[in-house]
Amino acid sequence: MSHTNHAKDLVRMANQIAVHFATYPHEEAVTETATHIRKFWDPRMRAGLFAHVQSGGEADLHEVARGAVGVLQAR
């Protein structure tokens, strides 16, 4: 699998999680999305998502997923 396809898959999955929680109040949705990614994603998956964001891919993420990435990176 190419790096680009892997990044697209990670973004798709992060966005799916974010959409699931998007009906919650915004801060709670961000927290729950970050918690899910922290608990259930392999560290390599998180690192791949962070790398994608750092290389300018932030716009690909749902706003809740973007917030969750910020929370996770701040830890």
Side-chain angles (χ1 to χ4, degrees), residues 21 25-37 64 67-68 71:
F21 290 114
H26 183 74
E27 288 304 315
E28 186 178 358
V30 168
T31 300
E32 292 296 328
T33 300
T35 298
H36 181 91
I37 291 171
V64 170
V71 166

